[in-house]
Amino acid sequence: MATDPEQLPKGILKKPAQRQPPADPKEIALQHARIIQHRKDLENEILDSLILLSEYPLVRNPPHSATNPAQSDVADFKSHIRLFQPSDYDDLIIERNVNGLCGYTLCSRPHREMGPGGEWKIMSNGDIVKRKDIEMWCSQKCARLALYVKVQLNETAAWERAGIPNINIDLLDEDKSGETEADKTARRLGELKLEDQRQAARDTAALALERGERNAPKSDKLKVTLREKVVNPPAPNINPTGNYDDEHLVVEGFKTKLKIDEK
Protein backbone atom coordinates (compact mmCIF):
# COMPACT_ATOMS: atom_id res chain seq x y z
CA MET A 1 0.00 0.00 0.00
CA ALA A 2 1.50 3.24 -1.14
CA THR A 3 1.71 6.10 1.29
CA ASP A 4 1.23 9.74 0.56
CA PRO A 5 4.69 11.26 0.29
CA GLU A 6 3.39 14.53 1.74
CA GLN A 7 1.93 12.87 4.91
CA LEU A 8 4.57 12.32 7.60
CA PRO A 9 4.26 9.36 10.00
CA LYS A 10 2.93 10.20 13.46
CA GLY A 11 4.95 9.25 16.49
CA ILE A 12 3.44 7.02 19.17
CA LEU A 13 5.18 8.79 22.06
CA LYS A 14 3.42 11.50 24.02
CA LYS A 15 4.43 15.01 23.33
CA PRO A 16 6.48 16.56 26.09
CA ALA A 17 4.50 18.86 28.33
CA GLN A 18 5.02 22.49 27.75
CA ARG A 19 7.00 24.16 30.46
CA GLN A 20 5.20 26.79 32.45
CA PRO A 21 6.86 30.17 32.54
CA PRO A 22 8.60 30.83 35.87
CA ALA A 23 6.49 32.71 38.39
CA ASP A 24 7.30 36.30 39.06
CA PRO A 25 9.05 36.56 42.50
CA LYS A 26 7.41 39.94 43.05
CA GLU A 27 3.94 38.46 42.54
CA ILE A 28 4.73 35.61 44.95
CA ALA A 29 5.88 38.07 47.60
CA LEU A 30 2.73 40.17 47.15
CA GLN A 31 0.55 37.08 47.48
CA HIS A 32 2.23 36.10 50.76
CA ALA A 33 1.88 39.66 52.00
CA ARG A 34 -1.87 39.59 51.25
CA ILE A 35 -2.25 36.31 53.17
CA ILE A 36 -0.38 37.69 56.20
CA GLN A 37 -2.41 40.90 56.11
CA HIS A 38 -5.64 38.91 55.91
CA ARG A 39 -4.65 36.94 59.01
CA LYS A 40 -3.79 40.13 60.89
CA ASP A 41 -7.15 41.64 59.95
CA LEU A 42 -8.97 38.60 61.33
CA GLU A 43 -6.96 38.74 64.56
CA ASN A 44 -7.80 42.42 64.95
CA GLU A 45 -11.45 41.65 64.28
CA ILE A 46 -11.45 38.99 67.01
CA LEU A 47 -9.79 41.43 69.43
CA ASP A 48 -12.40 44.10 68.67
CA SER A 49 -15.18 41.56 69.18
CA LEU A 50 -13.65 40.51 72.50
CA ILE A 51 -13.59 44.11 73.75
CA LEU A 52 -17.15 44.69 72.55
CA LEU A 53 -18.57 41.51 74.11
CA SER A 54 -16.88 42.24 77.42
CA GLU A 55 -19.57 44.91 78.02
CA TYR A 56 -22.57 42.86 76.90
CA PRO A 57 -25.53 42.52 77.16
CA LEU A 58 -26.73 45.87 75.90
CA VAL A 59 -30.36 45.24 76.86
CA ARG A 60 -30.52 44.64 80.62
CA ASN A 61 -34.06 45.67 81.48
CA PRO A 62 -36.60 43.07 82.72
CA PRO A 63 -37.82 40.61 81.58
CA HIS A 64 -34.49 40.00 79.84
CA SER A 65 -31.95 37.86 81.70
CA ALA A 66 -29.24 35.28 81.07
CA THR A 67 -31.85 32.61 80.33
CA ASN A 68 -34.06 35.01 78.35
CA PRO A 69 -31.73 37.45 76.56
CA ALA A 70 -32.81 40.00 73.99
CA GLN A 71 -32.77 38.74 70.42
CA SER A 72 -30.56 41.63 69.32
CA ASP A 73 -27.92 40.67 71.90
CA VAL A 74 -28.16 37.01 70.90
CA ALA A 75 -27.68 37.84 67.21
CA ASP A 76 -24.68 40.08 67.92
CA PHE A 77 -23.15 37.50 70.26
CA LYS A 78 -23.39 34.71 67.68
CA SER A 79 -22.05 36.98 64.94
CA HIS A 80 -18.98 38.10 66.89
CA ILE A 81 -18.04 34.77 68.46
CA ARG A 82 -18.23 32.50 65.42
CA LEU A 83 -14.49 32.85 64.68
CA PHE A 84 -13.35 32.57 68.30
CA GLN A 85 -11.05 29.80 69.44
CA PRO A 86 -11.48 28.33 72.96
CA SER A 87 -8.48 30.38 74.11
CA ASP A 88 -10.13 33.58 72.82
CA TYR A 89 -13.29 32.65 74.71
CA ASP A 90 -11.26 32.19 77.92
CA ASP A 91 -9.80 35.67 77.40
CA LEU A 92 -13.32 37.05 77.03
CA ILE A 93 -14.36 35.49 80.36
CA ILE A 94 -11.32 36.99 82.10
CA GLU A 95 -12.00 40.40 80.55
CA ARG A 96 -15.60 40.33 81.77
CA ASN A 97 -14.48 39.37 85.27
CA VAL A 98 -12.10 42.34 85.26
CA ASN A 99 -15.11 44.53 84.44
CA GLY A 100 -16.94 42.98 87.39
CA LEU A 101 -19.41 41.02 85.24
CA CYS A 102 -20.35 37.36 85.10
CA GLY A 103 -18.29 35.34 82.62
CA TYR A 104 -21.35 34.48 80.51
CA THR A 105 -21.66 37.14 77.83
CA LEU A 106 -25.47 37.41 77.93
CA CYS A 107 -25.60 37.84 81.71
CA SER A 108 -25.60 41.33 83.22
CA ARG A 109 -25.13 40.28 86.84
CA PRO A 110 -21.77 40.69 88.68
CA HIS A 111 -19.62 37.63 89.24
CA ARG A 112 -19.39 36.03 92.66
CA GLU A 113 -16.87 37.06 95.32
CA MET A 114 -16.03 34.28 97.77
CA GLY A 115 -14.19 36.57 100.19
CA PRO A 116 -10.81 35.88 101.77
CA GLY A 117 -9.46 32.36 101.72
CA GLY A 118 -7.13 29.95 100.00
CA GLU A 119 -6.96 28.76 96.42
CA TRP A 120 -9.45 25.91 96.96
CA LYS A 121 -13.03 25.97 98.17
CA ILE A 122 -15.22 23.23 99.65
CA MET A 123 -18.71 23.33 98.18
CA SER A 124 -21.93 22.48 99.99
CA ASN A 125 -22.08 19.09 98.24
CA GLY A 126 -18.57 18.20 99.42
CA ASP A 127 -16.75 18.90 96.13
CA ILE A 128 -13.39 20.67 96.30
CA VAL A 129 -12.94 23.15 93.44
CA LYS A 130 -10.67 26.05 92.65
CA ARG A 131 -11.83 29.41 93.91
CA LYS A 132 -11.28 31.12 90.55
CA ASP A 133 -13.55 28.57 88.82
CA ILE A 134 -16.38 29.60 91.14
CA GLU A 135 -15.78 33.35 91.00
CA MET A 136 -15.97 33.42 87.19
CA TRP A 137 -19.76 33.19 87.24
CA CYS A 138 -22.70 34.54 89.15
CA SER A 139 -24.31 31.10 89.39
CA GLN A 140 -23.85 27.51 88.29
CA LYS A 141 -26.53 28.04 85.63
CA CYS A 142 -24.45 30.71 83.89
CA ALA A 143 -21.41 28.43 84.06
CA ARG A 144 -23.34 25.74 82.17
CA LEU A 145 -24.60 28.28 79.63
CA ALA A 146 -21.09 29.62 78.97
CA LEU A 147 -19.37 26.24 78.75
CA TYR A 148 -22.06 25.00 76.34
CA VAL A 149 -20.91 27.73 73.95
CA LYS A 150 -17.22 26.99 74.50
CA VAL A 151 -17.45 23.33 73.47
CA GLN A 152 -18.80 24.43 70.07
CA LEU A 153 -15.73 26.53 69.27
CA ASN A 154 -12.98 25.13 67.10
CA GLU A 155 -9.24 24.93 67.71
CA THR A 156 -8.38 25.60 64.07
CA ALA A 157 -7.16 29.04 63.11
CA ALA A 158 -9.74 31.71 62.32
CA TRP A 159 -8.51 32.25 58.75
CA GLU A 160 -9.21 28.59 57.98
CA ARG A 161 -12.86 28.97 59.04
CA ALA A 162 -13.56 32.49 57.81
CA GLY A 163 -14.78 31.20 54.45
CA ILE A 164 -17.44 28.91 55.95
CA PRO A 165 -20.64 30.99 56.01
CA ASN A 166 -22.81 28.46 57.89
CA ILE A 167 -20.92 28.27 61.19
CA ASN A 168 -23.65 28.59 63.79
CA ILE A 169 -23.33 28.79 67.57
CA ASP A 170 -26.26 27.44 69.57
CA LEU A 171 -27.29 28.48 73.07
CA LEU A 172 -28.31 26.06 75.77
CA ASP A 173 -32.10 25.59 75.98
CA GLU A 174 -32.55 27.89 72.99
CA ASP A 175 -36.02 28.01 71.47
CA LYS A 176 -35.77 26.61 67.93
CA SER A 177 -39.47 26.35 67.20
CA GLY A 178 -39.23 29.02 64.51
CA GLU A 179 -36.30 27.35 62.74
CA THR A 180 -36.99 26.41 59.13
CA GLU A 181 -35.77 23.31 57.32
CA ALA A 182 -33.16 25.39 55.50
CA ASP A 183 -31.84 26.68 58.81
CA LYS A 184 -31.66 23.14 60.21
CA THR A 185 -29.81 21.90 57.13
CA ALA A 186 -27.33 24.78 57.27
CA ARG A 187 -26.73 24.20 60.99
CA ARG A 188 -26.12 20.47 60.52
CA LEU A 189 -23.79 21.15 57.59
CA GLY A 190 -21.83 23.60 59.70
CA GLU A 191 -21.56 21.06 62.53
CA LEU A 192 -20.23 18.44 60.11
CA LYS A 193 -17.61 20.82 58.74
CA LEU A 194 -16.51 21.82 62.22
CA GLU A 195 -16.21 18.19 63.27
CA ASP A 196 -14.11 17.45 60.17
CA GLN A 197 -11.80 20.35 61.03
CA ARG A 198 -11.48 19.19 64.63
CA GLN A 199 -10.60 15.68 63.52
CA ALA A 200 -8.05 17.04 61.04
CA ALA A 201 -6.49 19.15 63.81
CA ARG A 202 -6.31 16.12 66.13
CA ASP A 203 -4.72 14.01 63.38
CA THR A 204 -2.17 16.73 62.63
CA ALA A 205 -1.27 17.06 66.31
CA ALA A 206 -0.89 13.28 66.69
CA LEU A 207 1.31 13.09 63.58
CA ALA A 208 3.51 15.97 64.77
CA LEU A 209 3.89 14.32 68.16
CA GLU A 210 4.80 11.02 66.52
CA ARG A 211 7.45 12.71 64.41
CA GLY A 212 8.90 14.37 67.48
CA GLU A 213 8.46 17.90 66.22
CA ARG A 214 9.33 20.61 68.69
CA ASN A 215 6.24 22.69 68.00
CA ALA A 216 3.90 19.77 68.44
CA PRO A 217 0.93 20.73 70.63
CA LYS A 218 1.16 19.16 74.04
CA SER A 219 -1.72 17.69 75.92
CA ASP A 220 -2.98 19.48 79.02
CA LYS A 221 -3.27 16.18 80.84
CA LEU A 222 -0.47 15.20 83.18
CA LYS A 223 0.38 11.53 83.41
CA VAL A 224 0.82 10.52 87.02
CA THR A 225 2.22 7.12 87.99
CA LEU A 226 1.65 5.94 91.54
CA ARG A 227 4.19 3.56 93.00
CA GLU A 228 4.17 1.97 96.41
CA LYS A 229 6.97 3.17 98.62
CA VAL A 230 9.33 0.41 99.70
CA VAL A 231 9.95 0.62 103.44
CA ASN A 232 12.94 -1.25 104.79
CA PRO A 233 12.70 -2.55 108.35
CA PRO A 234 15.28 -1.23 110.82
CA ALA A 235 18.45 -3.28 111.09
CA PRO A 236 18.67 -5.36 114.30
CA ASN A 237 21.06 -4.05 116.90
CA ILE A 238 23.64 -6.81 117.24
CA ASN A 239 26.33 -6.57 119.87
CA PRO A 240 29.60 -7.25 118.00
CA THR A 241 31.50 -8.06 121.20
CA GLY A 242 29.20 -10.89 122.19
CA ASN A 243 28.77 -9.48 125.71
CA TYR A 244 25.15 -9.93 126.79
CA ASP A 245 25.52 -9.25 130.53
CA ASP A 246 23.15 -6.28 130.30
CA GLU A 247 20.54 -8.07 128.24
CA HIS A 248 18.10 -7.90 131.12
CA LEU A 249 18.16 -4.08 130.78
CA VAL A 250 16.75 -4.20 127.22
CA VAL A 251 12.98 -3.72 127.02
CA GLU A 252 11.43 -4.15 123.56
CA GLY A 253 14.73 -3.30 121.91
CA PHE A 254 15.40 -0.23 124.04
CA LYS A 255 18.18 -0.24 126.58
CA THR A 256 17.65 1.91 129.62
CA LYS A 257 20.25 4.53 130.35
CA LEU A 258 19.64 4.70 134.07
CA LYS A 259 22.68 3.99 136.16
CA ILE A 260 22.24 1.03 138.45
CA ASP A 261 24.57 0.81 141.44
CA GLU A 262 25.98 -2.66 141.79
CA LYS A 263 26.58 -3.70 145.42
Side-chain angles (χ1 to χ4, degrees):
M1 181 176 180
T3 60
D4 190 357
E6 297 180 358
Q7 184 178 4
L8 298 176
K10 296 181 179 180
I12 61 175
L13 300 178
K14 294 182 179 181
K15 294 182 179 180
Q18 296 181 356
R19 294 184 178 181
Q20 297 292 337
D24 186 8
K26 180 179 179 181
E27 187 64 29
I28 295 176
L30 290 175
Q31 182 65 21
H32 283 288
R34 295 189 194 101
I35 294 174
I36 295 174
Q37 185 61 41
H38 176 63
R39 294 181 178 182
K40 289 183 178 180
D41 293 340
L42 287 177
E43 292 176 354
N44 292 333
E45 180 182 348
I46 292 175
L47 181 59
D48 294 338
S49 298
L50 190 151
I51 297 174
L52 180 65
L53 293 177
S54 66
E55 299 289 345
Y56 263 54
L58 300 180
V59 181
R60 305 186 180 186
N61 300 327
H64 299 298
S65 62
T67 55
N68 184 30
Q71 291 300 320
S72 58
D73 289 338
V74 172
D76 292 342
F77 174 61
K78 291 183 177 181
S79 174
H80 286 290
I81 209 170
R82 58 188 301 272
L83 296 181
F84 273 38
Q85 292 178 294
S87 58
D88 300 324
Y89 193 71
D90 292 336
D91 294 338
L92 173 61
I93 295 173
I94 296 175
E95 189 68 22
R96 289 182 60 83
N97 292 157
V98 171
N99 294 338
L101 296 173
C102 173
Y104 182 48
T105 308
L106 298 178
C107 179
S108 60
R109 299 177 59 186
H111 65 91
R112 284 182 290 194
E113 293 285 351
M114 304 303 296
E119 181 181 359
W120 300 88
K121 181 72 175 179
I122 301 178
M123 305 299 293
S124 58
N125 57 359
D127 294 340
I128 301 177
V129 296
K130 286 187 176 182
R131 177 182 295 269
K132 66 177 183 179
D133 294 339
I134 305 174
E135 294 182 342
M136 285 181 180
W137 328 101
C138 66
S139 63
Q140 192 63 22
K141 178 65 176 178
C142 280
R144 293 180 63 246
L145 292 171
L147 295 179
Y148 183 81
V149 174
K150 182 179 179 180
V151 296
Q152 301 178 62
L153 303 179
N154 205 328
E155 289 284 356
T156 55
W159 50 84
E160 297 181 13
R161 294 176 282 119
I164 304 178
N166 48 6
I167 298 179
N168 296 321
I169 302 297
D170 297 330
L171 304 181
L172 184 63
D173 300 332
E174 184 178 10
D175 185 14
K176 300 180 181 179
S177 58
E179 191 177 36
T180 62
E181 290 295 330
D183 295 335
K184 292 180 180 179
T185 303
R187 177 168 56 83
R188 292 169 184 169
L189 182 60
E191 291 174 355
L192 290 176
K193 289 183 178 180
L194 285 178
E195 184 59 31
D196 293 341
Q197 289 182 350
R198 289 173 180 170
Q199 186 61 40
R202 287 192 292 265
D203 294 341
T204 303
L207 182 59
L209 186 62
E210 182 180 354
R211 291 176 175 175
E213 297 180 2
R214 295 183 178 179
N215 296 330
K218 298 180 180 179
S219 175
D220 294 336
K221 297 181 179 179
L222 178 63
K223 185 177 179 181
V224 179
T225 304
L226 299 179
R227 295 187 179 91
E228 184 178 359
K229 182 178 179 180
V230 179
V231 180
N232 298 322
N237 187 11
I238 302 176
N239 191 352
T241 60
N243 185 10
Y244 301 98
D245 294 340
D246 54 355
E247 187 175 299
H248 62 283
L249 300 177
V250 178
V251 179
E252 295 184 357
F254 177 76
K255 181 182 177 182
T256 179
K257 297 181 180 180
L258 297 175
K259 296 183 179 180
I260 301 176
D261 297 334
E262 296 181 359
K263 297 182 179 179

